[in-house]
Amino acid sequence: MFHSHLDSLNEEDLEDTYCSIEIQAAFILSSCVTFFGGLIILVFFRIILKIAKKWQSIKHSGAVLKLFSSGRSGLNPLRRFYFYRVFHDRIELLLSAQTFVGQVLVILVFVLSIGSLIIYFINSTDLTGMCSTSEDRTLTVDLSFNAFFSFYFGLRFWAADDKIKFWLEMNSIVDIFTVPPTFISYYLKSNWLGFRFLRALRLLELPKILQILHVIKSSNSVKLSKLMSIVLSTWFTAAGFLHLTFPLPSLFGQVENSGDPWLKGRNSQSMSYFESIYLVTATMSTVGFGDVVAKTSLGRTFIVFFTLGSLILFANYIPEMVELFTNRRKYTKPYEAIKGKKFIVVCGNITIDSVTAFLRNFLRHRSGEINTEIVFLGEEPPSLELETLFKCNLSFTTFVCGSALKFEDLKRVSVESAEACLILANSLCSDLHAEDISNIMRVLSIKNYNSHTRVIIQILQSHNKAFLSKIPTWNCSAGDNIICFAELKLGFIAQGCLVPGLCTFLTTLFIEQNQKVFPKHSWQKYFLNSLKNKILTQRLSDAFTGMTFPEVCRLCFVKLHLMLIAIQHKSGFHNCRSLILNPPAQVKLDKDTLGFFIAESSQAVKRAFFYCSHCHKDVHNPELIEKCGCKTGSREELTGPAMVVVKSSTSCISECQDSAREQESSLSIASLKNRGVMVSDTPEDSDQLDSSGMFHWCRSTPLDKVVLKRTDKSKHEFRDHIVACVFGDAHSALVGLRNFVMPLRASNYTRQELKDIVFIGPLEYFHREWRFLRNFPQIYIMPGSALYTGDLHAVNIEQCSMCAVLAAPSKPLSSQILVDTENIMATLNIQSLRVSGPTQRPSEPEAKAVPTFSKHDGKRRYQQIPILTELKNPSNIHFIEQIGGLDGALKGASLHLSTSFSTGTVFSGNFLDSLLATAFYNYHVLELLQMLVTGGISSQMEQYLVKEKHYGFHESCATILSGRARCKLGLLSLDKTILSDIKPRKTFGQLFCGSLDNYGILCVGLYRVMDDGEHSLENKRGVCDHQAI
């Protein structure tokens, strides 16, 4: 078209329409003179101003000179004038687009810039060298546009603090090379395209305009618009450069339409602007069809450098744009809830680690039958690793990008139809309080969207639980659950201080062991078998209705090979069903009673539901007990042997020395009176308790009254006490030591049974924790560090019953291996302290736990200080294994297969993540665990305490007795306590039945001596769950 148009013009017409070199030079020189002349003037005034400041010889010209400087506003003399200051501030506010008028101005400038670019496209249809006459209507329109750009340029120049920096900005360069030529064209009555293609760079402001218009809101949309604006502006600008005609062939030459200057245009070719766009597109995509190519040397040189830049641009931006566009559509599509299909929504901390742990724990509960789909609601698109994980589990997982804080995103995942909404927390974050608050806000959003949605949330700090209970629609009875990491973790450690090995015993009931291990010693075989046991629930058969708990417990153990440890019983507490651990014989089982068992599988506990006294009376193989055809069972045939009726019960772990080869310990439940603990019937003789009757209480104690000094060691003479090593400072997050103290001050222990608690750590940290501890008795603080041996000796650590090393508060670290540095170093320091000689511990009553390891009389042995170390990162167990010097077949395996874990000397709270799935499938199990580790507080009790005044002294005898009568865990020796009278006791079944029949004690595990012979200098003990009958 352009060749035919050129041929149709005669030589005379070409001379009239083709712009002369002088005219083209006028257009270019107007821009160059404006740019370089203005820059020189600004630099000159900057130099003059610096000289004036230095010599202070110019007094009255400072304000004028400072106007063109980059000094601060406070130093600008001209800004002392009120008019200038107000005008300058108004212009800045206007240009910032913070007001409606400013937004209109910014949008208008962008629209006119695009209009000017469209005029360039229209004019580019003519040959580049042709000059448009004044009759061209687009000339007047473009002139009005550029007049407005000049006004806008003046406003920006006035508001700029640094004039030189402003002069070199991209938008300023665009205005300088496009506005002056427009006025030249009006003066010469002739128009030339020149550098008007630079208006395409205004497309870089497209994201800002779209945000002002609220067209784009998400971060992905903003990022996509920025990438598109960069690609488009580069595309149009490069095409305009190829289409450009330079004026002086002898000096500059033309790119394509004018040819090389040294060849005087002999190699020129006619190329339109749209052909230039086509060439640029082919170059950027690295296709290069060859139908349109650059023939001039200047054009080819430009293509060489443009190709290198376009490769980077195309390789980085285009794939990212495609990914953003596809992912936006992929992860923003609403989840289609199908009627009859169950699904849950998981939100909060959605990362590769949290999702992997959640899927592992969630799926093991329903191995082989996955009938619940998991919808993950993440606030950011998934990473490559996380996306791969979702693809591997595509059949039952779906990811939706959104936030639980927005109603529209909750609607997209159909929260109102979900079985539950689970909120994950990041336990390794540095700001625990902020993490909790963000998750609580998610709960508020979900409950406000649909009050009936069941919510299960992970909370890191216990004091933040109070916010959830204040939500009007929060309902524990409907399945809403709180999994508090600090409460459970420190409760586990506290119970481990009272009962050595209890942390391991309880942890094994909630972990899944899939690793193949070949034990070499008998104790390892027992320990690995105990890892198969879990806490399961099952509705009991109607055949058990009317029987006492000891009768049902014995029958289940002997007949069904099941261990029943607790039931859900309807009590007088607000006329609701409450969980009771080993209730006394006065409690009769109701119909449809829920039982809590320690068993290997859910199939095994179904025997308790199918059991029929008539049909299964003569069945001796428990695996043959299945659903029968009869409808009624004989109650009279279920009577067991003569039972010893006990008034109340408590749980214990006992320690023994068998006359044959090994020494053992057993976990049991016993009566308070049978163990020599008398419960007073009058409030005057009772211990001082809090208002709930659940914990020992004292009047507020000032911190300085409990602070110890190293020089006062002889005054205290601590014996059989608990030492807790704490790390922190004045600014670190609070660990929540109240959760550690509360189980140790439970009211089911008498005041005489309470052990002194001595904390070792920085005093400035305890200043912040003390307001939560000041009402608990027998607490002492030693300012110092567990890394210093002198502080350990000052608290008489050699005579302690247990030393707990608590994990340091979370800190932002580059490596997660370093999170346990203080704990490991403190353990190394404490383990280096050994007690030698025939150690004689202070005499203890039968009811008290025996936390020390047994010794052979008359022989000198070395004994390490009993220690319980908390690890945040389970993979750091190999440091503890090296310190302990334990050489077993399980060395080098995971934490739950390590020797240190099996002996009860190491605890890690990473298994608490599995409780989220446990709470979803069976929240009763979580309630039992909370009762065991927190001192006996159930969810119903927590709701009651929120409404009542808590932690105050209460003198109600009924309240005290109800709190004192609950069970507790302890360690009893089979050789030195009332359990020594049980005969025979060669097997665990005989021990279980004998303790239950004679004393109402429920034995649930053993704490066995690991060494087979007497050659070992240290008798290490391992934990085992209940063994076969």
Side-chain angles (χ1 to χ4, degrees), residues 454-498:
R454 180 187 176 193
V455 177
I456 305 175
I457 180 176
Q458 293 178 338
I459 288 293
L460 302 179
Q461 294 181 315
S462 59
H463 60 269
N464 290 325
K465 293 174 58 178
F467 295 107
L468 293 169
S469 60
K470 296 175 182 178
I471 299 177
T473 54
W474 183 266
N475 189 0
C476 293
S477 59
D480 294 339
N481 285 106
I482 305 172
I483 302 175
C484 181
F485 281 15
E487 183 180 72
L488 294 175
K489 178 183 64 175
L490 294 176
F492 266 89
I493 298 175
Q495 296 292 354
C497 293
L498 290 173

Side-chain angles (χ1 to χ4, degrees), residues 691-692 945-952:
S691 60
S692 66
L945 294 178
V946 168
K947 301 177 182 178
E948 301 293 335
K949 186 178 179 180
H950 191 34
Y951 293 122

Side-chain angles (χ1 to χ4, degrees), residues 147-210:
F148 180 78
F149 295 150
S150 302
F151 169 74
Y152 187 68
F153 180 87
L155 292 179
R156 292 169 50 234
F157 180 80
W158 186 277
D161 290 330
D162 192 334
K163 309 300 181 184
I164 296 179
K165 183 179 179 180
F166 163 80
W167 200 261
L168 298 176
E169 288 180 353
M170 185 190 64
N171 287 335
S172 301
I173 294 176
V174 171
D175 289 335
I176 292 173
F177 280 89
T178 55
V179 173
T182 305
F183 294 100
I184 296 297
S185 64
Y186 182 78
Y187 176 75
L188 297 178
K189 307 299 181 180
S190 180
N191 190 17
W192 181 60
L193 295 179
F195 293 102
R196 289 164 55 189
F197 64 88
L198 292 177
R199 283 291 172 192
L201 294 176
R202 280 285 185 179
L203 289 171
L204 294 174
E205 297 185 0
L206 178 62
K208 180 180 179 181
I209 302 301
L210 295 179

Side-chain angles (χ1 to χ4, degrees), residues 206-365:
L206 178 62
K208 180 180 179 181
I209 302 301
L210 295 179
Q211 284 181 292
I212 294 176
L213 297 175
H214 301 288
V215 177
I216 55 176
K217 298 178 181 179
S218 64
S219 58
N220 287 339
S221 301
V222 174
K223 189 174 183 180
L224 180 62
S225 62
K226 286 183 178 180
L227 294 177
M228 290 184 62
S229 63
I230 293 175
V231 172
L232 291 176
S233 60
T234 305
W235 189 19
F236 290 143
T237 305
F241 184 81
L242 283 175
H243 187 252
L244 173 66
T245 300
F246 287 99
L248 303 175
S250 59
L251 181 61
F252 297 105
Q254 304 173 17
V255 177
E256 288 300 319
N257 288 290
S258 300
D260 292 322
W262 50 87
L263 297 178
K264 297 182 180 180
R266 288 194 298 270
N267 61 343
S268 63
Q269 66 171 330
S270 177
M271 180 182 293
S272 68
Y273 180 77
F274 293 100
E275 287 179 328
S276 301
I277 293 179
Y278 174 78
L279 176 58
V280 169
T281 304
T283 304
M284 290 180 64
S285 60
T286 66
V287 176
F289 294 105
D291 52 344
V292 178
V293 295
K295 294 183 179 180
T296 63
S297 299
L298 289 177
R300 291 175 178 177
T301 303
F302 171 78
I303 289 296
V304 169
F305 291 101
F306 179 75
T307 302
L308 296 177
S310 63
L311 284 176
I312 300 175
L313 183 70
F314 195 86
N316 289 296
Y317 289 177
I318 301 299
E320 191 172 358
M321 289 170 58
V322 173
E323 182 180 1
L324 288 172
F325 183 75
T326 56
N327 285 349
R328 182 186 178 188
R329 299 185 59 185
K330 180 179 179 181
Y331 296 120
T332 56
K333 293 191 301 183
Y335 172 76
E336 297 181 3
I338 302 176
K339 187 177 181 180
K341 185 177 182 180
K342 298 180 180 180
F343 71 95
I344 62 173
V345 177
V346 181
C347 60
N349 180 42
I350 307 298
T351 62
I352 179 64
D353 295 330
S354 63
V355 172
T356 302
F358 175 79
L359 290 178
R360 181 177 61 251
N361 297 319
F362 187 84
L363 299 179
R364 72 178 177 88
H365 287 79

Side-chain angles (χ1 to χ4, degrees), residues 490-545:
L490 294 176
F492 266 89
I493 298 175
Q495 296 292 354
C497 293
L498 290 173
V499 185
L502 183 58
C503 281
T504 298
F505 174 80
L506 294 177
T507 302
T508 55
L509 300 176
F510 292 92
I511 61 176
E512 185 77 11
Q513 167 53 26
N514 298 320
Q515 185 175 350
K516 293 184 178 180
V517 180
F518 302 96
K520 294 183 179 180
H521 304 287
S522 58
W523 72 267
Q524 295 174 348
K525 179 180 179 181
Y526 295 143
F527 177 73
L528 291 176
N529 289 335
S530 67
L531 293 179
K532 302 177 183 178
N533 296 321
K534 301 291 177 288
I535 295 182
L536 302 170
T537 60
Q538 180 61 57
R539 294 289 175 183
L540 299 180
S541 171
D542 292 342
F544 299 121
T545 304

